[in-house]
């Protein structure tokens, strides 16, 4: 009997481990399928945008291992940052300096790509890992048929270089380029009319300005800020077919952590947000799981492996 009980416990552990390692992958066969998925006029599938890739203990921000880990929690959008090395390699790093996120020191732009490969990333708790700084091409290649990307760029990085990397890796089906004003959005659209663009759009006037500058609604994913806008803003954007990203990193994440019974993330989606850009992947994901279940929302683009 004792041996049987041990067998049952071992079997349960194996089953739990297998479940914990499930991957939630998003896959789009072409750009039309992606645009259909991101159509605000239809019932959208709510998502978490993992801010800086979803860092947590043992998993530093902005690295492929962390991105892969995020998919074990949720089907995700991976938001990450691109910087330039001294020899103009596109590398994934948020800060201008290496100090906070790695065992290196100094300006990232003062190191060549080869020198940066000797650096090791550390997690938010200061623990140095074995993980390296990846390149943009490595990230885009990894993400095919796994995640959506929102690609943020640091000052001095040309949009043309980002777009060239997207083209080279054939990542058009799962890439969204982040812009911060209408001029940037117009530049990206002129360079790559087929790509989706994350644009700051917190009002009707913002959308009209984007349209006036040649950016069509079916290429826009609206970032509505880091505090929930009036529901009328959501209604207007959805009427134009535009899905909305609300940034919860910061005050909204803190509010959710302080008030776990208030279903902060659930209610933000219910009020009109389609995507929550969060630092709290696990906590936000649980509430989105419940929302999808309650509203019976699914998507053929999700593959669980």
């Amino acid at each position: 009997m004792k041996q049987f009980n041990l067998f049952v416990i071992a079997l349960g552990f194996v089953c739990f481990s297998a479940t914990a390692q499930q991957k939630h992958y998003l896959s789009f066969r072409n750009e039309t399928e992606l645009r259909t998925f991101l159509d605000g006029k239809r019932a959208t599938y709510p998502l978490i945008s993992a801010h800086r890739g979803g860092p947590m203990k043992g998993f530093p921000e902005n690295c492929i291992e962390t991105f892969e880990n995020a998919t074990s929690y949720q089907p995700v959008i991976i938001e990450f940052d691109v910087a330039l090395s001294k020899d103009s390699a596109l590398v994934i790093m948020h800060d201008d300096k290496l100090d906070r996120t790695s065992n290196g020191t100094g300006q990232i732009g003062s190191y060549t790509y080869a020198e940066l490969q000797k650096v090791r990333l550390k997690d938010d708790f200061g623990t140095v890992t074995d993980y390296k700084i990846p390149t943009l091409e490595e990230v885009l290649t990894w993400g095919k048929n796994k995640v959506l990307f929102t690609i943020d760029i640091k000052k001095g990085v040309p949009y043309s270089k980002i777009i060239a990397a997207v083209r080279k890796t054939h990542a058009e089906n799962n890439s969204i380029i982040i812009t911060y004003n209408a001029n940037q959005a117009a530049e990206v659209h002129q360079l790559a009319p087929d790509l989706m663009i994350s644009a700051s759009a917190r009002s009707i006037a913002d959308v009209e300005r984007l349209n006036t500058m040649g950016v069509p609604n079916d290429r826009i994913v609206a970032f509505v800020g880091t505090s929930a806008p009036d529901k009328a803003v959501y209604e207007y954007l959805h009427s134009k077919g535009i899905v909305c990203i609300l940034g919860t990193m910061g005050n909204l994440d803190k509010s959710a952590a302080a008030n776990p019974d208030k279903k902060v993330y659930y209610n933000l989606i219910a009020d009109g947000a389609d995507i929550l850009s969060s630092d709290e992947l696990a906590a936000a994901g649980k509430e989105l799981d419940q929302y999808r279940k309650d509203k019976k929302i699914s998507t053929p683009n999700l593959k669980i492996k």
Side-chain angles (χ1 to χ4, degrees):
M1 178 63 72
K2 184 177 180 179
Q3 288 180 330
F4 176 77
N5 288 339
L6 289 173
F7 172 77
V8 171
I9 291 171
L11 180 61
F13 179 78
V14 170
C15 291
F16 173 79
S17 298
T19 301
Q21 293 303 312
Q22 280 185 335
K23 303 298 183 180
H24 303 77
Y25 290 154
L26 290 170
S27 178
F28 304 92
R29 292 173 295 181
N30 51 55
E31 295 150 46
T32 299
E33 195 169 277
L34 172 61
R35 286 198 292 274
T36 299
F37 181 81
L38 295 174
D39 182 355
K41 290 182 180 179
R42 56 193 289 275
T44 56
Y45 184 86
L47 285 174
I48 301 294
S49 174
H51 185 228
R52 301 184 192 174
M56 55 186 68
K57 191 172 181 61
F59 291 96
E61 66 179 54
N62 278 319
C63 77
I64 290 173
E65 291 82 1
T66 299
F67 303 164
E68 183 68 55
N69 179 64
T71 69
S72 65
Y73 289 85
Q74 284 282 303
V76 287
I77 297 175
I78 295 292
E79 186 270 346
F80 65 87
D81 307 274
V82 184
L84 277 175
S85 68
K86 183 178 181 179
D87 51 350
S88 297
L90 294 169
V91 294
I92 311 306
M93 178 65 63
H94 177 270
D95 297 1
D96 293 331
K97 293 185 176 181
L98 293 166
D99 303 58
R100 181 181 65 87
T101 60
S102 79
N103 62 356
T105 60
Q107 296 284 332
I108 191 166
S110 65
Y111 291 89
T112 66
Y113 168 70
E115 291 169 336
L116 290 173
Q117 289 305 286
K118 300 174 184 177
V119 171
R120 293 297 177 268
L121 296 170
K122 59 186 180 184
D123 67 16
D124 289 347
F125 299 87
T127 302
V128 177
T129 69
D130 291 330
Y131 306 143
K132 298 179 181 181
I133 300 171
T135 66
L136 176 58
E137 285 189 22
E138 288 172 339
V139 168
L140 294 176
T141 299
W142 164 82
K144 291 287 289 181
N145 299 314
K146 290 184 177 180
V147 299
L148 275 174
F149 288 124
T150 47
I151 306 172
D152 200 356
I153 68 171
K154 299 295 101 182
K155 186 176 180 180
V157 179
Y159 281 115
S160 58
K161 285 182 70 71
I162 301 294
I163 292 167
V166 169
R167 298 291 193 216
K168 183 177 179 180
T169 56
H170 306 290
E172 294 92 344
N173 298 353
N174 63 322
S175 294
I176 302 167
I177 312 297
I178 294 176
T179 63
Y180 288 94
N181 56 57
N183 289 330
Q184 290 178 346
E187 178 187 349
V188 171
H189 186 64
Q190 289 170 1
L191 291 169
D194 55 316
L195 294 186
M196 297 298 296
I197 299 168
S198 173
S200 180
R202 308 181 190 193
S203 66
I204 293 173
D206 287 340
V207 176
E208 290 177 341
R209 176 165 170 74
L210 287 165
N211 294 161
T212 298
M213 298 188 71
V215 184
N217 292 330
D218 65 356
R219 297 297 188 275
I220 298 172
V221 176
F223 182 76
V224 297
T226 55
S227 59
D230 189 89
K231 288 185 181 180
V233 174
Y234 287 133
E235 291 170 359
Y236 173 79
L237 291 168
H238 289 155
S239 75
K240 299 297 182 180
I242 300 171
V243 297
C244 309
I245 301 177
L246 173 63
T248 66
M249 60 281 195
N251 289 336
L252 290 173
D253 277 346
K254 291 176 182 176
S255 177
N259 303 281
D261 297 331
K262 290 190 175 181
K263 301 197 299 185
V264 170
Y265 301 112
Y266 186 108
N267 291 324
L268 290 171
I269 293 293
D271 287 344
D274 303 295
I275 300 162
L276 302 179
S277 180
S278 176
D279 286 319
E280 301 296 335
L281 175 61
K286 287 181 180 178
E287 294 190 26
L288 262 66
D289 283 339
Q290 188 61 52
Y291 183 89
R292 298 182 197 113
K293 181 179 179 181
D294 290 347
K295 303 299 181 181
K296 298 180 173 60
I297 300 174
S298 62
T299 175
N301 305 101
L302 174 62
K303 312 296 181 186
I304 298 179
K305 297 184 177 182

